[in-house]
Protein backbone atom coordinates (compact mmCIF):
# COMPACT_ATOMS: atom_id res chain seq x y z
CA UNK A 1 0.00 0.00 0.00
CA UNK A 2 1.36 3.31 -0.98
CA UNK A 3 2.10 5.59 1.94
CA UNK A 4 -0.26 8.52 2.45
CA UNK A 5 0.92 11.79 1.10
CA UNK A 6 1.36 14.39 3.79
CA UNK A 7 -0.22 17.74 3.11
CA UNK A 8 2.01 20.75 3.78
CA UNK A 9 -0.86 23.23 3.76
CA UNK A 10 -2.02 24.76 7.02
CA UNK A 11 -5.49 23.67 8.17
CA UNK A 12 -8.15 26.34 7.98
CA UNK A 13 -9.49 27.18 11.38
CA UNK A 14 -13.25 26.62 11.54
CA UNK A 15 -14.57 29.49 13.58
CA UNK A 16 -17.74 28.75 15.50
CA UNK A 17 -20.10 31.19 17.10
CA UNK A 18 -18.97 29.96 20.49
CA UNK A 19 -15.51 31.40 19.81
CA UNK A 20 -16.71 34.99 19.60
CA UNK A 21 -15.12 36.96 22.49
CA UNK A 22 -17.62 37.30 25.32
CA UNK A 23 -16.79 40.96 25.87
CA UNK A 24 -17.61 41.72 22.23
CA UNK A 25 -20.84 39.71 22.47
CA UNK A 26 -21.76 41.61 25.62
CA UNK A 27 -20.98 44.92 23.91
CA UNK A 28 -23.24 43.97 21.02
CA UNK A 29 -26.09 43.04 23.35
CA UNK A 30 -25.78 46.26 25.33
CA UNK A 31 -26.01 48.28 22.13
CA UNK A 32 -29.15 46.51 20.92
CA UNK A 33 -31.87 48.52 22.63
CA UNK A 34 -34.98 46.70 21.42
CA UNK A 35 -36.05 43.34 22.82
CA UNK A 36 -36.66 42.02 19.30
CA UNK A 37 -33.06 42.63 18.21
CA UNK A 38 -31.68 41.15 21.41
CA UNK A 39 -33.83 38.07 20.88
CA UNK A 40 -32.58 37.77 17.30
CA UNK A 41 -28.98 37.96 18.44
CA UNK A 42 -29.53 35.42 21.22
CA UNK A 43 -31.29 33.04 18.84
CA UNK A 44 -28.41 33.24 16.36
CA UNK A 45 -25.86 32.81 19.16
CA UNK A 46 -27.35 29.70 20.79
CA UNK A 47 -28.91 28.02 17.78
CA UNK A 48 -25.69 28.18 15.74
CA UNK A 49 -23.15 26.65 18.03
CA UNK A 50 -23.36 28.48 21.35
CA UNK A 51 -21.74 26.95 24.40
CA UNK A 52 -25.04 26.24 26.19
CA UNK A 53 -26.30 24.00 23.37
CA UNK A 54 -22.97 22.19 23.15
CA UNK A 55 -22.90 21.49 26.88
CA UNK A 56 -26.47 20.17 27.06
CA UNK A 57 -26.07 17.89 24.05
CA UNK A 58 -22.45 16.81 23.88
CA UNK A 59 -23.16 14.10 21.32
CA UNK A 60 -24.60 16.55 18.83
CA UNK A 61 -22.08 18.29 16.64
CA UNK A 62 -23.40 21.73 15.68
CA UNK A 63 -22.46 22.89 12.23
CA UNK A 64 -19.18 24.82 12.14
CA UNK A 65 -20.67 28.06 10.95
CA UNK A 66 -18.33 30.91 10.11
CA UNK A 67 -18.48 34.43 11.49
CA UNK A 68 -19.60 35.56 8.05
CA UNK A 69 -23.00 33.88 8.57
CA UNK A 70 -24.23 36.70 10.78
CA UNK A 71 -27.00 38.55 8.90
CA UNK A 72 -25.56 41.66 7.25
CA UNK A 73 -28.46 43.83 8.39
CA UNK A 74 -27.69 42.89 11.99
CA UNK A 75 -23.99 43.56 11.39
CA UNK A 76 -24.88 46.99 10.05
CA UNK A 77 -27.08 47.70 13.06
CA UNK A 78 -24.22 46.84 15.40
CA UNK A 79 -21.75 48.98 13.45
CA UNK A 80 -24.01 52.02 13.56
CA UNK A 81 -24.13 51.76 17.34
CA UNK A 82 -20.35 51.63 17.87
CA UNK A 83 -19.06 55.19 18.59
CA UNK A 84 -15.36 54.31 19.01
CA UNK A 85 -13.06 53.80 16.05
CA UNK A 86 -11.29 51.05 18.01
CA UNK A 87 -14.51 49.03 18.30
CA UNK A 88 -15.26 49.42 14.59
CA UNK A 89 -11.74 48.28 13.77
CA UNK A 90 -12.18 45.21 15.99
CA UNK A 91 -15.48 44.43 14.30
CA UNK A 92 -13.99 44.73 10.81
CA UNK A 93 -11.02 42.52 11.72
CA UNK A 94 -13.17 39.47 12.55
CA UNK A 95 -13.46 38.21 8.96
CA UNK A 96 -13.48 39.37 5.34
CA UNK A 97 -17.28 39.50 5.18
CA UNK A 98 -17.52 41.72 8.25
CA UNK A 99 -14.78 43.93 6.86
CA UNK A 100 -16.72 44.28 3.61
CA UNK A 101 -19.89 45.01 5.55
CA UNK A 102 -18.07 47.75 7.46
CA UNK A 103 -17.00 49.37 4.20
CA UNK A 104 -20.45 49.14 2.61
CA UNK A 105 -22.40 50.61 5.49
CA UNK A 106 -23.29 54.30 5.58
CA UNK A 107 -22.20 54.95 9.13
CA UNK A 108 -22.41 58.01 11.37
CA UNK A 109 -19.07 59.57 12.25
CA UNK A 110 -17.26 57.89 15.10
CA UNK A 111 -15.77 59.78 18.00
CA UNK A 112 -12.43 61.42 17.12
CA UNK A 113 -9.10 60.09 18.25
CA UNK A 114 -6.69 62.08 20.38
CA UNK A 115 -3.18 62.04 18.90
CA UNK A 116 -0.02 62.82 20.85
CA UNK A 117 3.33 63.71 19.24
CA UNK A 118 5.08 60.66 20.73
CA UNK A 119 2.91 58.35 18.62
CA UNK A 120 0.37 57.58 21.34
CA UNK A 121 -3.34 57.62 20.49
CA UNK A 122 -6.56 57.47 22.48
CA UNK A 123 -9.74 56.15 20.87
CA UNK A 124 -12.50 57.94 22.74
CA UNK A 125 -14.32 57.10 24.95
CA UNK A 126 -11.62 54.62 26.05
CA UNK A 127 -8.85 55.75 28.36
CA UNK A 128 -6.26 53.12 27.44
CA UNK A 129 -3.57 54.48 25.06
CA UNK A 130 -2.55 52.51 21.99
CA UNK A 131 -0.25 52.72 18.99
CA UNK A 132 -1.01 51.88 15.38
CA UNK A 133 0.73 48.61 14.43
CA UNK A 134 3.69 48.73 12.10
CA UNK A 135 4.38 52.46 12.31
CA UNK A 136 4.96 54.80 15.21
CA UNK A 137 3.53 58.02 13.75
CA UNK A 138 5.64 60.01 16.21
CA UNK A 139 7.01 63.46 15.40
CA UNK A 140 4.15 64.96 13.42
CA UNK A 141 4.00 68.75 13.14
CA UNK A 142 0.32 69.30 12.43
CA UNK A 143 -2.94 67.45 11.73
CA UNK A 144 -5.91 67.93 9.42
CA UNK A 145 -8.96 65.67 9.46
CA UNK A 146 -7.55 62.15 9.26
CA UNK A 147 -4.08 63.33 8.13
CA UNK A 148 -0.91 63.72 10.18
CA UNK A 149 1.68 66.17 8.80
CA UNK A 150 5.37 65.22 8.96
CA UNK A 151 8.21 67.60 8.01
CA UNK A 152 11.28 66.46 6.08
CA UNK A 153 14.30 68.22 4.63
CA UNK A 154 13.14 67.43 1.09
CA UNK A 155 9.49 68.27 1.73
CA UNK A 156 6.48 67.39 3.84
CA UNK A 157 4.25 64.37 3.67
CA UNK A 158 0.79 63.57 4.94
CA UNK A 159 -0.04 60.16 6.34
CA UNK A 160 -3.48 58.75 7.08
CA UNK A 161 -2.87 56.24 9.91
CA UNK A 162 -6.23 54.57 9.22
CA UNK A 163 -5.80 53.85 5.50
CA UNK A 164 -1.96 54.24 5.41
CA UNK A 165 -2.38 56.53 2.41
CA UNK A 166 0.48 59.00 1.90
CA UNK A 167 0.54 62.38 0.13
CA UNK A 168 3.70 64.40 -0.54
CA UNK A 169 3.96 68.19 -0.26
CA UNK A 170 6.81 70.52 -1.28
CA UNK A 171 9.47 71.66 1.22
CA UNK A 172 9.08 75.13 2.71
CA UNK A 173 12.35 76.06 1.03
CA UNK A 174 10.68 75.64 -2.37
CA UNK A 175 8.20 78.51 -2.75
CA UNK A 176 7.20 80.11 -6.05
CA UNK A 177 7.12 83.89 -5.57
CA UNK A 178 4.56 86.20 -7.08
CA UNK A 179 6.05 88.32 -8.53
CA UNK A 180 9.07 86.08 -9.22
CA UNK A 181 11.58 88.94 -8.82
CA UNK A 182 10.34 89.98 -5.35
CA UNK A 183 12.92 91.12 -2.80
CA UNK A 184 12.76 92.02 0.88
CA UNK A 185 12.68 95.75 1.64
CA UNK A 186 14.30 97.10 4.80
CA UNK A 187 14.80 100.42 6.54
CA UNK A 188 16.66 101.52 9.66
CA UNK A 189 15.11 103.01 12.77
CA UNK A 190 17.40 104.08 15.60
CA UNK A 191 20.13 101.93 14.10
CA UNK A 192 17.94 98.81 13.94
CA UNK A 193 16.99 97.03 10.73
CA UNK A 194 13.20 96.78 10.33
CA UNK A 195 10.86 95.51 7.63
CA UNK A 196 9.63 98.24 5.30
CA UNK A 197 6.76 99.07 5.21
CA UNK A 198 5.61 95.89 7.03
CA UNK A 199 6.55 92.22 7.39
CA UNK A 200 6.05 90.14 4.25
CA UNK A 201 6.99 86.61 3.25
CA UNK A 202 10.29 87.94 1.94
CA UNK A 203 11.34 89.03 5.45
CA UNK A 204 10.90 85.62 7.10
CA UNK A 205 11.32 83.04 4.33
CA UNK A 206 14.92 82.20 5.28
CA UNK A 207 14.35 81.77 9.02
CA UNK A 208 15.18 78.38 10.52
CA UNK A 209 12.11 78.81 12.77
CA UNK A 210 9.70 78.76 9.84
CA UNK A 211 7.00 76.12 10.34
CA UNK A 212 3.45 75.10 9.41
CA UNK A 213 1.03 76.15 12.14
CA UNK A 214 -2.15 75.16 10.27
CA UNK A 215 -2.79 72.98 7.24
CA UNK A 216 -6.09 72.51 5.41
CA UNK A 217 -6.68 69.83 2.77
CA UNK A 218 -9.34 71.65 0.75
CA UNK A 219 -9.65 69.02 -1.99
CA UNK A 220 -7.54 66.30 -3.65
CA UNK A 221 -6.01 69.09 -5.76
CA UNK A 222 -5.59 71.87 -3.21
CA UNK A 223 -3.75 72.24 0.09
CA UNK A 224 -3.49 75.53 1.98
CA UNK A 225 -1.21 76.28 4.93
CA UNK A 226 -0.48 79.01 7.44
CA UNK A 227 3.30 79.22 7.56
CA UNK A 228 5.29 81.63 9.68
CA UNK A 229 7.27 82.48 12.78
CA UNK A 230 5.57 82.87 16.13
CA UNK A 231 2.41 84.94 15.85
CA UNK A 232 3.09 86.15 12.29
CA UNK A 233 2.23 83.95 9.32
CA UNK A 234 1.32 83.95 5.63
CA UNK A 235 -0.98 81.83 3.46
CA UNK A 236 0.74 79.36 1.13
CA UNK A 237 -0.91 76.86 -1.17
CA UNK A 238 0.04 74.01 -3.43
CA UNK A 239 -1.22 70.98 -5.27
CA UNK A 240 -0.38 67.61 -3.63
CA UNK A 241 2.66 66.13 -5.31
CA UNK A 242 3.82 69.51 -6.68
CA UNK A 243 7.42 70.71 -6.46
CA UNK A 244 6.71 74.11 -4.87
CA UNK A 245 4.27 76.18 -2.87
CA UNK A 246 2.89 79.50 -4.10
CA UNK A 247 2.81 82.80 -2.16
CA UNK A 248 2.01 86.45 -2.78
CA UNK A 249 5.42 87.81 -1.85
CA UNK A 250 4.41 91.38 -0.95
CA UNK A 251 1.20 90.68 0.98
CA UNK A 252 1.35 91.76 4.59
CA UNK A 253 1.85 88.91 7.02
CA UNK A 254 -0.87 88.79 9.66
CA UNK A 255 -1.58 87.32 13.03
CA UNK A 256 -3.79 84.54 11.70
CA UNK A 257 -5.66 82.53 14.31
CA UNK A 258 -7.34 79.87 12.16
CA UNK A 259 -8.31 78.85 8.64
CA UNK A 260 -11.19 76.76 7.28
CA UNK A 261 -12.52 75.53 3.93
CA UNK A 262 -16.25 76.25 3.92
CA UNK A 263 -18.74 75.70 1.08
CA UNK A 264 -16.05 75.70 -1.59
CA UNK A 265 -14.17 78.76 -0.31
CA UNK A 266 -11.14 79.24 1.91
CA UNK A 267 -11.55 81.55 4.91
CA UNK A 268 -8.96 82.87 7.36
CA UNK A 269 -9.50 84.45 10.78
CA UNK A 270 -7.18 87.07 12.26
CA UNK A 271 -6.47 87.94 15.89
CA UNK A 272 -8.63 91.03 15.40
CA UNK A 273 -11.58 88.72 14.59
CA UNK A 274 -11.61 89.82 10.95
CA UNK A 275 -12.87 87.12 8.59
CA UNK A 276 -11.01 87.05 5.27
CA UNK A 277 -11.91 85.16 2.10
CA UNK A 278 -9.03 83.82 0.02
CA UNK A 279 -9.75 83.87 -3.72
CA UNK A 280 -7.88 81.16 -5.61
CA UNK A 281 -6.94 80.92 -9.27
CA UNK A 282 -4.73 78.70 -11.42
CA UNK A 283 -1.30 79.75 -12.63
CA UNK A 284 -1.52 80.25 -16.42
CA UNK A 285 1.87 78.58 -17.00
CA UNK A 286 1.92 75.67 -14.53
CA UNK A 287 -1.76 75.21 -13.68
CA UNK A 288 -0.88 75.20 -9.98
CA UNK A 289 -3.26 76.90 -7.52
CA UNK A 290 -2.36 80.36 -6.25
CA UNK A 291 -3.85 83.15 -4.14
CA UNK A 292 -5.30 85.75 -6.48
CA UNK A 293 -6.78 88.07 -3.85
CA UNK A 294 -7.56 88.23 -0.13
CA UNK A 295 -10.65 90.23 0.79
CA UNK A 296 -12.30 91.09 4.09
CA UNK A 297 -15.76 89.60 4.59
CA UNK A 298 -16.42 90.58 8.22
CA UNK A 299 -14.71 93.30 10.23
CA UNK A 300 -14.37 92.16 13.80
CA UNK A 301 -14.90 94.05 17.03
CA UNK A 302 -11.74 92.81 18.71
CA UNK A 303 -10.20 92.98 22.09
CA UNK A 304 -6.69 91.97 22.97
CA UNK A 305 -5.05 90.71 26.14
CA UNK A 306 -6.03 92.92 29.07
CA UNK A 307 -4.23 93.21 32.42
CA UNK A 308 -6.18 94.36 35.48
CA UNK A 309 -5.09 95.93 38.76
CA UNK A 310 -6.05 92.83 40.74
CA UNK A 311 -3.25 90.79 39.17
CA UNK A 312 -5.59 89.22 36.62
CA UNK A 313 -5.31 89.15 32.84
CA UNK A 314 -7.66 88.06 30.04
CA UNK A 315 -6.27 86.27 27.00
CA UNK A 316 -8.12 84.71 24.12
CA UNK A 317 -7.98 82.02 21.44
CA UNK A 318 -10.09 81.95 18.29
CA UNK A 319 -11.31 79.00 16.25
CA UNK A 320 -13.16 78.60 12.93
CA UNK A 321 -15.43 75.57 12.59
CA UNK A 322 -18.42 74.59 10.47
CA UNK A 323 -21.52 73.30 12.23
CA UNK A 324 -25.00 72.58 10.82
CA UNK A 325 -24.18 74.44 7.60
CA UNK A 326 -22.98 77.62 9.35
CA UNK A 327 -19.43 78.96 9.77
CA UNK A 328 -18.77 79.61 13.44
CA UNK A 329 -16.14 81.62 15.28
CA UNK A 330 -15.52 80.36 18.80
CA UNK A 331 -13.88 82.81 21.19
CA UNK A 332 -12.22 81.19 24.16
CA UNK A 333 -11.36 83.61 26.96
CA UNK A 334 -8.66 82.41 29.36
CA UNK A 335 -8.65 84.11 32.74
CA UNK A 336 -5.04 84.28 33.91
CA UNK A 337 -3.52 85.37 37.19
CA UNK A 338 -0.25 87.25 37.57
CA UNK A 339 1.63 86.18 40.72
CA UNK A 340 3.31 89.58 41.04
CA UNK A 341 2.40 92.96 39.51
CA UNK A 342 4.20 93.80 36.31
CA UNK A 343 5.36 90.27 35.53
CA UNK A 344 3.41 89.83 32.30
CA UNK A 345 5.38 86.77 31.21
CA UNK A 346 4.55 85.03 34.48
CA UNK A 347 0.79 84.92 33.80
CA UNK A 348 -0.72 81.54 34.73
CA UNK A 349 -3.77 80.19 32.89
CA UNK A 350 -6.92 79.58 34.93
CA UNK A 351 -10.49 78.81 33.91
CA UNK A 352 -11.94 79.53 30.45
CA UNK A 353 -15.16 80.90 29.06
CA UNK A 354 -16.55 80.32 25.57
CA UNK A 355 -18.62 82.49 23.23
CA UNK A 356 -19.89 81.34 19.83
CA UNK A 357 -20.62 83.58 16.84
CA UNK A 358 -22.14 82.76 13.46
CA UNK A 359 -20.92 84.42 10.27
CA UNK A 360 -23.71 86.53 8.77
CA UNK A 361 -22.41 86.94 5.22
CA UNK A 362 -25.41 88.95 4.06
CA UNK A 363 -24.83 91.72 6.59
CA UNK A 364 -21.03 91.23 7.02
CA UNK A 365 -21.10 90.68 10.76
CA UNK A 366 -20.69 88.14 13.53
CA UNK A 367 -23.93 87.14 15.31
CA UNK A 368 -23.76 85.78 18.84
CA UNK A 369 -25.51 82.40 19.15
CA UNK A 370 -26.47 80.43 22.24
CA UNK A 371 -26.32 76.97 20.65
CA UNK A 372 -24.19 75.01 18.20
CA UNK A 373 -26.91 72.40 17.69
CA UNK A 374 -28.77 70.12 20.07
CA UNK A 375 -26.90 67.14 18.63
CA UNK A 376 -23.54 68.78 17.88
CA UNK A 377 -20.28 68.55 19.82
CA UNK A 378 -17.43 70.89 18.81
CA UNK A 379 -13.94 69.42 19.09
CA UNK A 380 -11.59 72.41 19.13
CA UNK A 381 -7.85 72.33 18.61
CA UNK A 382 -5.17 74.61 17.21
CA UNK A 383 -4.33 72.01 14.55
CA UNK A 384 -7.84 70.87 13.59
CA UNK A 385 -11.43 71.52 14.73
CA UNK A 386 -14.64 69.76 13.72
CA UNK A 387 -18.30 69.54 14.68
CA UNK A 388 -19.55 65.97 15.15
CA UNK A 389 -23.10 64.72 15.71
CA UNK A 390 -23.13 62.17 18.54
CA UNK A 391 -26.82 62.01 19.48
CA UNK A 392 -27.15 58.49 18.07
CA UNK A 393 -24.70 57.38 20.77
CA UNK A 394 -26.64 59.03 23.58
CA UNK A 395 -24.16 61.93 23.88
CA UNK A 396 -25.76 65.30 24.53
CA UNK A 397 -25.06 68.13 22.10
CA UNK A 398 -24.21 71.78 22.69
CA UNK A 399 -20.84 70.71 24.09
CA UNK A 400 -17.31 71.93 23.37
CA UNK A 401 -14.33 69.63 23.89
CA UNK A 402 -11.07 71.61 23.80
CA UNK A 403 -7.33 71.07 24.01
CA UNK A 404 -4.58 73.10 25.66
CA UNK A 405 -2.35 72.82 22.60
CA UNK A 406 -0.47 76.11 22.59
CA UNK A 407 2.69 76.40 20.56
CA UNK A 408 5.66 77.51 22.61
CA UNK A 409 6.31 80.63 20.54
CA UNK A 410 2.63 81.68 20.59
CA UNK A 411 1.98 81.60 24.33
CA UNK A 412 0.96 84.59 26.40
CA UNK A 413 0.72 82.56 29.60
CA UNK A 414 1.95 79.42 31.30
CA UNK A 415 0.39 76.66 33.38
CA UNK A 416 0.83 75.62 36.97
CA UNK A 417 -0.11 71.99 36.31
CA UNK A 418 2.47 69.47 35.21
CA UNK A 419 0.07 67.44 33.06
CA UNK A 420 -2.16 68.53 30.18
CA UNK A 421 -5.45 66.99 29.09
CA UNK A 422 -8.69 68.08 27.46
CA UNK A 423 -11.86 69.46 28.94
CA UNK A 424 -15.52 69.83 28.01
CA UNK A 425 -17.67 72.94 28.25
CA UNK A 426 -21.47 72.75 28.36
CA UNK A 427 -22.84 75.71 26.40
CA UNK A 428 -26.27 75.54 28.04
CA UNK A 429 -25.15 75.44 31.66
CA UNK A 430 -21.74 77.11 31.31
CA UNK A 431 -20.21 74.28 33.32
CA UNK A 432 -16.87 72.53 32.82
CA UNK A 433 -15.87 68.94 33.25
CA UNK A 434 -12.84 66.75 32.65
CA UNK A 435 -14.32 63.92 30.63
CA UNK A 436 -11.55 61.43 31.28
CA UNK A 437 -9.12 62.40 34.06
CA UNK A 438 -7.15 59.24 33.17
CA UNK A 439 -6.19 60.73 29.80
CA UNK A 440 -3.28 63.09 30.34
CA UNK A 441 0.26 63.77 29.19
CA UNK A 442 3.27 65.73 30.33
CA UNK A 443 3.11 69.43 29.52
CA UNK A 444 6.50 69.75 27.81
CA UNK A 445 7.79 71.22 24.55
CA UNK A 446 7.73 67.87 22.75
CA UNK A 447 4.09 67.24 23.63
CA UNK A 448 2.49 70.61 22.90
CA UNK A 449 1.14 69.55 19.52
CA UNK A 450 -1.66 67.28 20.75
CA UNK A 451 -4.40 67.11 18.11
CA UNK A 452 -7.82 65.72 17.31
CA UNK A 453 -7.85 63.15 14.53
CA UNK A 454 -11.08 62.41 12.65
CA UNK A 455 -11.43 59.03 10.91
CA UNK A 456 -13.15 58.96 7.53
CA UNK A 457 -15.92 56.59 8.56
Amino acid sequence: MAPEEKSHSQPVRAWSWSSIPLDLAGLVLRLLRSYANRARFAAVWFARGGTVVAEKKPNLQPPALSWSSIPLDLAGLVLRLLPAHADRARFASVCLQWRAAARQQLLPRPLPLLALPDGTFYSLPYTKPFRFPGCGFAGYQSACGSWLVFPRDDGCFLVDPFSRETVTLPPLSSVRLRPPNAVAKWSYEHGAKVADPYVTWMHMKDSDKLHISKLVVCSPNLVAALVGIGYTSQILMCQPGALSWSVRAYDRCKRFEDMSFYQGKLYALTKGENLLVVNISDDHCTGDPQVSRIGQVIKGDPWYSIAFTNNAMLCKKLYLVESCGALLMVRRTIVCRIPEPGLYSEAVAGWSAFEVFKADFEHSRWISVSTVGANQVLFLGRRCSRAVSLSQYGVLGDQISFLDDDEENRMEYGYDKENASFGTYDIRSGGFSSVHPEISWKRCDEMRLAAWLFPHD
Side-chain angles (χ1 to χ4, degrees), residues 16-313:
S16 68
W17 283 75
S18 59
S19 60
I20 187 173
L22 292 179
D23 61 339
L24 184 56
L27 176 63
V28 171
L29 278 172
R30 285 194 296 274
L31 291 172
L32 298 177
R33 299 181 180 180
S34 73
Y35 174 80
N37 283 329
R38 292 186 179 186
R40 285 182 66 199
F41 185 88
V44 170
W45 171 270
F46 291 116
R48 299 188 180 182
T51 56
V52 174
V53 175
E55 290 172 0
K56 286 186 176 181
K57 299 180 180 182
N59 296 326
L60 296 179
Q61 297 296 326
L65 296 172
S66 69
W67 289 63
S68 60
S69 59
I70 187 173
L72 290 182
D73 61 336
L74 183 58
L77 177 62
V78 172
L79 272 170
R80 284 192 292 273
L81 293 171
L82 296 176
H85 171 77
D87 286 335
R88 295 187 183 186
R90 288 179 64 200
F91 186 96
S93 66
V94 169
C95 65
L96 292 176
Q97 287 78 5
W98 284 25
R99 188 174 305 144
R103 291 173 179 171
Q104 295 169 6
Q105 293 292 325
L106 294 176
L107 302 175
R109 285 186 177 274
L111 286 166
L113 276 69
L114 179 59
L116 300 181
D118 64 353
T120 300
F121 294 83
Y122 290 91
S123 182
L124 303 181
Y126 298 117
T127 60
K128 184 178 180 180
F130 75 96
R131 293 177 180 269
F132 281 92
C135 196
F137 296 111
Y140 66 82
Q141 189 178 87
S142 189
C144 175
S146 63
W147 299 100
L148 293 173
V149 184
F150 293 87
R152 292 192 311 198
D153 293 338
D154 58 344
C156 302
F157 66 97
L158 312 181
V159 180
D160 186 325
F162 309 102
S163 66
R164 303 302 173 97
E165 183 181 357
T166 301
V167 173
T168 59
L169 300 178
L172 294 181
S173 58
S174 178
V175 178
R176 182 165 45 88
L177 303 176
R178 299 179 51 241
N181 59 347
V183 295
K185 298 178 181 179
W186 302 91
S187 63
Y188 289 87
E189 293 183 5
H190 308 292
K193 188 178 180 181
V194 296
D196 185 15
Y198 42 70
V199 176
T200 69
W201 173 258
M202 304 307 298
H203 297 100
M204 61 181 183
K205 67 182 184 67
D206 296 324
S207 172
D208 57 359
K209 296 182 179 180
L210 204 65
H211 71 286
I212 297 174
S213 59
K214 176 82 177 187
L215 186 136
V216 179
V217 180
C218 305
S219 73
N221 299 314
L222 177 63
V223 173
L226 293 177
V227 181
I229 305 168
Y231 295 104
T232 305
S233 57
Q234 189 54 277
I235 299 174
L236 276 65
M237 55 184 49
C238 73
Q239 187 170 349
L243 298 177
S244 63
W245 297 85
S246 173
V247 68
R248 286 167 60 98
Y250 288 141
D251 278 3
R252 185 173 190 166
C253 293
K254 293 181 174 63
R255 190 170 176 175
F256 290 109
E257 285 286 295
D258 207 349
M259 188 166 60
S260 179
F261 193 69
Y262 169 72
Q263 295 188 355
K265 294 183 178 181
L266 183 65
Y267 293 91
L269 183 66
T270 69
K271 187 71 172 180
E273 301 184 4
N274 298 323
L275 183 65
L276 310 178
V277 61
V278 183
N279 295 325
I280 302 168
S281 62
D282 294 333
D283 185 278
H284 297 299
C285 298
T286 65
D288 291 333
Q290 61 185 16
V291 177
S292 59
R293 181 178 177 273
I294 299 178
Q296 182 171 284
V297 179
I298 296 176
K299 180 175 176 55
D301 184 18
W303 61 264
Y304 297 92
S305 299
I306 306 170
F308 299 98
T309 56
N310 61 348
N311 291 0
M313 184 175 73

